Amino acid sequence: VANDHEVREHRDVNAQDPLTPVTGSAEVAGVIAPGHTFSSVTQKISSIVLTRPTPLGWWLGFGLAFFLTLLLFATLSYLVVKGVGIWGNNIPVAWAFDITNLVWWIGIGHAGTLISAILLLLKQTWRTSINRFAEAMTLFAVACAAIFPLFHTGRPWLAYWLFPYPNTMGVWPQFRSPLMWDVFAISTYATVSLLFWFIGLIPDLATLRDRSPSRVGRIMYGMLAMGWRGSAMHWHRYETAYLLLAGLATPLVVSVHTVISFDFSIGIVPGWHTTVFPPYFVAGAIYSGFAMVLTLAIPIRAVYGLEDFITMRHIQNMAKVMLVTGLIVAYGYGTEAFIAWYSADKYELFVPVNRSTGPYWWTYWMLILCNVLLPQILWFRRVRTNVFVLFVLSLVINVGMWLERFVIIVTSLHRDFLPSAWGMFQPTFWDWSTLIGTLGLFVALIFLFVRFLPMISIFEMRTILPAAKVGDDLGAT
Amino acid sequence: MSAPDGSPPVSKQRSRFWRTLDERIDDPAFQQWLHNEFPSQVEAIGDPVQRRTFLKLMGASMALAGLTACTRQPPEKIVPYVRQPEDLVPGKPLFFATAMTLGGIGTGLLVESHEGRPTKIEGNPLHPGSLGAADVFSQAAILGLYDPDRAKTLTYLGEIRPWSAFLGAINLALTAQQPLKGAGLRILTESISSPTLAGQIRHILQRYPAARWHRWDPASQDNAHAGARLAFGQYVDTQYRFDQADIIVALDADFLGSGPGCLRYARDFARRHQPQLAGRMNRLYALETMPSLTGAKADHRLALKPAAIAGVARQLAERLTSLNGAEGSNAQPRSDSKTPEPLSTEQRFIEGLVNDLRAHRGRGLIIAGDQQPAEVHALAHAMNEALGNVGATVVYTEPVEAEPVSQLESLRELVGEMNAGKVDLLLILAGNPVQTAPVDFDFAAAMGKVPLLAHLSLYEDETSALCHWQIPEAHFLEAWSDTRAFDGTASIVQPLIAPLYGGRSAHDVLGALSERPERSAYDLVREQWKVDPKDDGGWRQWLHDGVIPNTAVARKRVTPSAGVGVAARGPSSRPAATSPASASAAGFEIAFRLDPAVLDGRFANNGWLQELPKPITKLTWDNAILVSPATAARLSGAAYPAYRGGEHGTIVCDVFEIRSGGRTVRGPLFAVVGHPDDCATVHLGYGHRRGGNTARGLGFNAGAVRRSDALWSTSGELVKTGQTYALACTQYHHLMEGRALIHAATRAEYERDPASMHEEAGPEARPARTITLYPEYKYDGHKWGMAIDINACIGCNACVVACQSENNIPIVGKDQVLRGREMHWLRIDSYYAGPPEQPDTYFQPVPCMQCENAPCETVCPVGATVHSHEGLNDMVYNRCVGTRYCSNNCPYKVRRFNYYLYQDWETPSLKLARNPNVTVRSRGVMEKCTYCVQRINGAKIEAEKQGRTVQDGEIQTACQQTCPAEAIVFGDLNDQNSRVSRLQADARNYALLGELNTRPRTTYLGAVRNVNPELGR
């Protein structure tokens, strides 16, 4: 196979003279550290996968995550054998950790799509070094999320009945149900995210194929690269497809969590039946998503020495996004309480009172602390540039966003209309093992991802080199 | 290449057309390729005959493949009836009349039988003690019949023996007794009203004149008998005519919830408690310790410590009986009330009550509770006599029970003789005296001194363990017998099924003592009732009707002996220190009561009853030390509600030790609103060590501190132990939180404006019908609806058990109730209104509302819950995948989810108990009330066969059918004249959570309290 990719690289290199790198213009300053060339970028990113020895920390981390993944599998197997009763759900709290986890994971996924699609369309070049693993994070988060709509059902082996397929029973799903809409929203989201991620990977897979020292690697990456040769036509089609997918993915950023929020806002449960939910859920999703990106990016860039690519500008920008979305979420909390009072409806009015003073009061105040109060420190540049503080804060926000969903779901359900039916939810060991198990699965997948795929887009990183800027100007017009 | 079977090569067939040059030249390589590409049948496709063979073969193999895919059928031989039993149409149930005896009183029942297996128990409309209603015990007896834990084998010291061995052993013992005239023979039974059984015992006592018959039945009316004896010098039964009574005073009498005739009384009471009767609406006063169903229904309730009740009764008697002498001096007590200092609550209550009774002479009714001492009963008799109620609202009759005795004395005598070594052979026919006898009798120790003990019982219980012979008892649905209702009306108890475990009835065991042990109970009963073997007509009619006509006991004209007047008036000058109970009035008191679900423990192994939320407390699977919230707070040192855990499900309580008379027992402390301070109520019937897997280990045995000198109340103290215990409670939150869930008014308010009770709910409770996105449903045929009268509902739980039995509802066990996963489709919510010390209690049965705009229907993703063309919210079990969204969106929370496989799919005997017309739900599906859709469809099919429409009242839901208070009415809302349509048009009608615009089909009729204007709210 002719290595056109290498040819292109050489052509680029020849045109720009890699030996005398152009120091960055003001526009790209901070997105990539100065001093990098095309080959150094390629070398640095691909070496993590291809040549550098697997660090012991990777084995330990992956081992732990894999153990937790096994815990998840064990839990789910036990759940299928025994029934969803192994969780603490009851009547009235028929949804608890399961749907909390679903919404949380789906929300986390949103940052990836936002970074890759919307920021691409808005030509925010700083997205380049974080979009690949943000997308991977999206995909893995959706995979974790998808476990819950399936396994929270009483009879998971029949959950495929939620899909509209022609069947001998002559029965279609019930299209008025928001759960039905969820099926479309989540499956579309998963499909588009996967395609987007995979298509974005193809040029880099070809690079890995070409640089892989092992035969197995060449075959595997070769198959995944789908015959990419880097011809102009390939690039043209790639750009078109990528842009189209970005366009497709963009509404999904808004639509998926909007539909998820319909699960609640369509319901009549006080505390669910709220029109503010769609925007507030989307903002919350991006909020938690960026928190998760930071949670992952900060240790990874330290471990793999990627401070050159994931610079303080990225970190700062993400912190700013968190600050903004955090404020939107805080506004949402305020609106909920205000509308409850403004509606003068006794059931609605009871919700904020019960949340803040009822048996689950501490979850509400923890949520306010984690999502509203503590993130206010992001107003300070010194905080935004302190990766350790940001890492801790991102964890806090992740916890806060999980609590938010818990508060919405459980504290609304546990005391609804008839006081006689009021009840409490107590999580069981299996509730925790499912949650922790999905965390394990997520982390295990991330570990595999950083080990076997380029976690930063090589070719896109090269396009933001100052050298490429000149090349683009020459070639584009 | 030619085909192997010699058919012509393909190329010959298609010689005119060719696709490739290879084919044209008939290259063997091409033939080879073609054969490889389309193997084996390529030739056949070209050949019409071959193709048909091929299709045949394929068809046959598909069919065979289909057959092999079928589940292997178990090798069961299906034998058709050689002779088809008369009236038996497979798939159509038959109903047989029988009766169940409890505490010596029979209740007439109809038992539904599917192909020879009884599946459901209902009340017998022709029976005076039932009128079609059935209580929780008789309905749950169906589960008791099929209980896999029942005693199954006749054992001697734990080893299985044949019946003949028992007969041999008994004969040996009797032969030894012969010269002694039976001096060492003792028979211990429960209260017996069966004429046949009583006749058998009398016969044995004739044979062995020195033998003795003792009785001990914790569910009997021992104190009532003693009271009658005190008042009249003889045993008489008291019957009440609630249809004649305007003013009813219950002195710790739970006539709605327990005791003889409670079903009948509940109906008569509820019919007179209707606000539309205006001046004829009755008024109920209750004076009691533990809040009971009667107390909850009372228009005025006074919470009193156990010892204080007798004192108040004395005060009442003083005021009312003195009236006899001073008829004209009506104003005298009024002048008393003008004393300067304000009257206490108690005094005001008594004042109002006395005046009310005086104003309704001959139409009042004073009832003393079975647990009250004889003195209170005597006082009640005296008051009824003085007020002229006797003959009008109170009727005295010969006792229904055969030869009543003082059971406590009877047992005391027996234990004394056992300890003295005078008893050689003791037959215990039913009952569990080791567990139920007063603890100071130490019945177990006394049993050790008897050489031969035989015990007949349904379960191998604590008594069985200490007996030599354990005889498995035949369930009342398995054996012939007879019994008498509260008014004496006799019924034949006819069996529905042969004994499942080879059980024997009391008739068989007593027969073993007679000369002719081989005589069957059937013969004995027929002999007792002098049935002419040649003319079976009357006998068949008795069996069909379930009653033997004109057998009610005769009325008796008795007058209180002179001593009673003295007894009533004498001590009243100082309401203290005559009865042992009142001596302790100042200290902490402990009252003993039979458990509302398991009585004295005889139903402890019945899962339906154990999981039945007990009235008022809503506890399941346990008993508790019940105290007032203030006392609980004082004892626990924590503010009320002193619970940790949920409002529904787990209630973690402090464990306290009851110390009384030198004995102790530990139990969890549970606060009950309306209970008087500084006293506790404990329920008997728990703390079993044997007697079935369900019963064992539940609760604590309150009998451990119950002495013979203080059977129903004693002094004692509660000591905190520092331990905690989780109680499974299905409703802990009884406050309405300012939500108009119960619409209630006083009678005065109601008469001013019947709709006034809806004011609190406001106009938004009746939203405009146009507020919906979806088009209105059209109902061309039927449109089912239900109306539940909160004013009538007495909260007795009968409907809950009826629903459970009719709809194959599983029990889930205590650990699942702790998690809030009980499965009852119909629950009875109770709410309090008014001050916490003197609350008004309201019961609200909540089945599925079958909403017109059902929130559940729109959110199910697979369409497993759908609106039927008759307005029901149908649940399609096999379509349900179990997302539980419907339950979340149900504002009434009436949907129940099978979190596990709750239904027992394994135990063979339990399978027999199921209703074949209702799906047995599996794990992972949602279920809920269907308005008994199987009954609706059954009636519709029947009507269609007869070419007519379904008549109003033809379909009765299970809950409606069994309701003693007739609180539930079901019918067709399209029929303007149906009862349910008329009730829904009533001014009291309202929709629960109507403001949500769910437009429920099940609506409620608000409650009206007939408040005495003198007492006020």
Side-chain angles (χ1 to χ4, degrees), chain A residues 72-156:
Chain A
L72 174 70
F73 292 158
T75 304
L76 295 181
S77 310
Y78 185 56
L79 180 133
V80 170
V81 171
K82 283 287 283 183
V84 278
I86 66 167
W87 290 336
N89 302 32
N90 55 30
I91 306 286
V93 188
W95 287 349
F97 270 33
D98 43 3
I99 304 299
T100 303
N101 296 344
L102 160 72
V103 181
W104 189 61
W105 279 119
I106 288 275
I108 283 170
H110 271 62
T113 325
L114 180 91
I115 290 167
S116 43
I118 295 188
L119 296 188
L120 176 77
L121 295 178
L122 296 177
K123 296 196 190 299
Q124 297 291 308
T125 45
W126 62 272
R127 68 175 269 284
T128 308
S129 49
I130 51 170
N131 78 330
R132 170 69 49 75
F133 77 74
E135 280 171 41
M137 182 196 78
T138 297
L139 213 53
F140 303 151
V142 172
C144 291
I147 288 170
F148 293 100
L150 173 63
F151 284 96
H152 97 286
T153 60
R155 303 197 288 175

Side-chain angles (χ1 to χ4, degrees), chain B residues 439-461:
Chain B
V439 63
D440 54 333
F441 283 0
D442 201 358
F443 197 83
M447 283 172 79
K449 304 196 176 79
V450 179
L452 188 58
L453 288 153
H455 184 222
L456 175 75
S457 69
L458 280 169
Y459 297 95
E460 287 179 26
D461 54 26

Side-chain angles (χ1 to χ4, degrees), chain B residues 495-507:
Chain B
L496 270 281
I497 192 167
L500 290 170
Y501 306 120
R504 301 279 167 174
S505 70
H507 299 290

Side-chain angles (χ1 to χ4, degrees), chain A residues 80-81 85 87 89-90 94-95 98 152 154-155 174 177 263 267-268 347 415-417 420 422 424 428, chain B residues 646-648 739 819 821 829 857-861 878 880-885 888-889 893 899-900 923 995:
Chain A
V80 170
V81 171
W87 290 336
N89 302 32
N90 55 30
W95 287 349
D98 43 3
H152 97 286
R155 303 197 288 175
Q174 211 270 107
S177 168
D263 284 350
I268 64 168
Y347 307 113
R415 287 181 167 181
D416 66 345
F417 296 98
S420 65
W422 288 1
M424 294 289 287
T428 63
Chain B
E647 297 124 326
H648 168 190
R739 303 170 181 191
R819 287 226 162 264
R821 294 172 179 169
D829 290 349
E857 288 171 8
T858 51
V859 298
C860 176
N878 27 2
C880 178
V881 300
T883 67
R884 309 187 290 288
Y885 198 172
N888 287 339
N889 219 30
K893 291 286 174 285
Y899 278 99
Y900 288 124
R923 187 191 113 194
E995 58 270 37

Side-chain angles (χ1 to χ4, degrees), chain A residues 78-96 98-99 149 151-162 165 167 169 171-180 183 262-269 272 345-347 350 359 413-429 431, chain B residues 643 645-650 730-741 760-761 764 774 777 816 819-822 827 829-831 844 846 855-863 876-885 887-902 922-926 992-993 995-996 998:
Chain A
Y78 185 56
L79 180 133
V80 170
V81 171
K82 283 287 283 183
V84 278
I86 66 167
W87 290 336
N89 302 32
N90 55 30
I91 306 286
V93 188
W95 287 349
D98 43 3
I99 304 299
F151 284 96
H152 97 286
T153 60
R155 303 197 288 175
W157 50 92
L158 296 178
Y160 68 92
W161 283 352
L162 268 75
Y165 69 102
N167 57 68
M169 294 180 284
V171 187
W172 289 97
Q174 211 270 107
F175 288 95
R176 290 180 298 174
S177 168
L179 283 188
M180 186 68 246
V183 169
F262 286 165
D263 284 350
F264 308 107
S265 50
I266 293 290
I268 64 168
V269 181
W272 285 15
D345 179 281
K346 49 185 175 288
Y347 307 113
F350 179 75
L413 284 175
H414 94 115
R415 287 181 167 181
D416 66 345
F417 296 98
L418 295 185
S420 65
W422 288 1
M424 294 289 287
F425 163 78
Q426 312 275 347
T428 63
F429 167 78
D431 277 302
Chain B
Y643 67 87
E647 297 124 326
H648 168 190
T650 312
T730 61
Q731 184 193 356
Y732 195 69
H733 203 101
H734 299 276
L735 302 175
M736 281 182 265
E737 298 288 336
R739 303 170 181 191
L741 307 174
E760 193 199 339
E764 66 266 28
Y774 299 111
Y777 290 100
Q816 292 299 296
R819 287 226 162 264
R821 294 172 179 169
E822 69 279 356
R827 63 172 195 265
D829 290 349
S830 69
Y831 292 109
Q844 185 172 42
V846 186
C856 53
E857 288 171 8
T858 51
V859 298
C860 176
V862 291
V876 190
Y877 301 123
N878 27 2
R879 180 67 179 168
C880 178
V881 300
T883 67
R884 309 187 290 288
Y885 198 172
S887 170
N888 287 339
N889 219 30
C890 173
Y892 308 98
K893 291 286 174 285
V894 290
R895 291 176 157 266
R896 296 288 175 259
F897 186 68
N898 288 277
Y899 278 99
Y900 288 124
L901 184 62
Y902 288 132
S922 182
R923 187 191 113 194
V925 300
M926 192 61 79
L992 183 60
L993 300 176
E995 58 270 37
L996 300 179
T998 49

Side-chain angles (χ1 to χ4, degrees), chain B residues 500-844:
Chain B
L500 290 170
Y501 306 120
R504 301 279 167 174
S505 70
H507 299 290
D508 297 331
V509 178
L510 287 175
L513 273 62
S514 72
E515 309 92 332
R516 294 166 61 194
E518 73 285 354
R519 270 197 312 178
S520 70
Y522 176 75
D523 293 334
L524 288 167
V525 172
R526 279 171 67 100
E527 192 173 293
Q528 171 72 30
W529 292 98
K530 303 186 175 62
V531 179
D532 184 357
K534 292 185 196 78
D535 175 28
D536 258 6
W539 168 257
R540 281 172 163 267
Q541 191 64 40
W542 297 346
L543 291 183
H544 175 271
D545 293 348
V547 288
I548 302 175
N550 307 321
T551 46
V553 282
R555 280 198 189 193
K556 211 166 171 181
R557 188 62 219 167
V558 286
T559 42
S561 55
V564 180
V566 178
R569 241 170 284 152
S572 64
S573 49
R574 275 281 66 85
T578 41
S579 74
S582 58
S584 58
F588 197 92
E589 288 179 63
I590 292 152
F592 300 98
R593 290 292 177 270
L594 296 177
D595 189 86
V598 303
L599 286 185
D600 59 337
R602 66 184 73 189
F603 300 111
N605 205 55
N606 192 309
W608 287 356
L609 292 172
Q610 286 285 9
E611 198 156 299
L612 193 64
K614 298 179 207 293
I616 312 291
T617 63
K618 300 291 172 191
L619 291 176
T620 61
W621 294 102
D622 267 306
N623 58 346
I625 305 169
L626 307 169
V627 294
S628 72
T631 305
R634 178 172 67 78
L635 291 169
S636 294
Y640 171 79
Y643 67 87
R644 294 174 292 284
E647 297 124 326
H648 168 190
T650 312
I651 311 291
V652 180
C653 299
D654 289 321
V655 173
F656 276 73
E657 190 167 82
I658 305 176
R659 292 185 185 160
S660 174
R663 294 183 175 84
T664 64
V665 69
R666 288 181 171 201
L669 190 77
F670 190 79
V672 178
V673 177
H675 198 282
D677 292 340
D678 296 322
C679 58
T681 301
V682 288
H683 284 133
L684 304 166
Y686 279 89
H688 289 273
R689 286 158 287 134
R690 298 169 64 92
N693 291 318
T694 309
R696 199 164 41 229
L698 294 176
F700 65 94
N701 181 14
V705 291
R706 185 177 181 232
R707 302 182 315 275
S708 57
D709 62 336
L711 264 191
W712 299 107
S713 69
T714 182
S715 62
E717 57 174 337
L718 296 182
V719 182
K720 194 170 178 174
T721 61
Q723 297 166 325
T724 57
Y725 184 83
L727 288 172
C729 177
T730 61
Q731 184 193 356
Y732 195 69
H733 203 101
H734 299 276
L735 302 175
M736 281 182 265
E737 298 288 336
R739 303 170 181 191
L741 307 174
I742 302 281
H743 293 193
T746 62
R747 195 179 118 201
E749 288 164 354
Y750 174 80
E751 282 169 3
R752 214 173 302 126
D753 173 14
S756 62
M757 61 174 67
H758 308 306
E759 274 163 15
E760 193 199 339
E764 66 266 28
R766 297 183 180 218
R769 298 203 141 201
T770 47
I771 313 176
T772 173
L773 282 176
Y774 299 111
E776 288 255 328
Y777 290 100
K778 296 265 181 295
Y779 301 103
D780 298 327
H782 302 289
K783 178 179 170 186
W784 305 116
M786 184 181 272
I788 299 177
D789 189 351
I790 294 176
N791 189 54
C793 176
I794 57 168
C796 68
N797 275 336
C799 50
V800 180
V801 181
C803 180
Q804 188 148 27
S805 181
E806 172 73 16
N807 292 303
N808 298 333
I809 297 171
I811 56 161
V812 297
K814 184 183 171 185
D815 62 321
Q816 292 299 296
V817 181
L818 285 172
R819 287 226 162 264
R821 294 172 179 169
E822 69 279 356
M823 295 298 284
H824 297 131
W825 286 3
L826 169 62
R827 63 172 195 265
I828 296 184
D829 290 349
S830 69
Y831 292 109
Y832 295 126
E837 324 73 62
Q838 294 285 347
D840 285 342
T841 311
Y842 297 95
F843 298 115
Q844 185 172 42

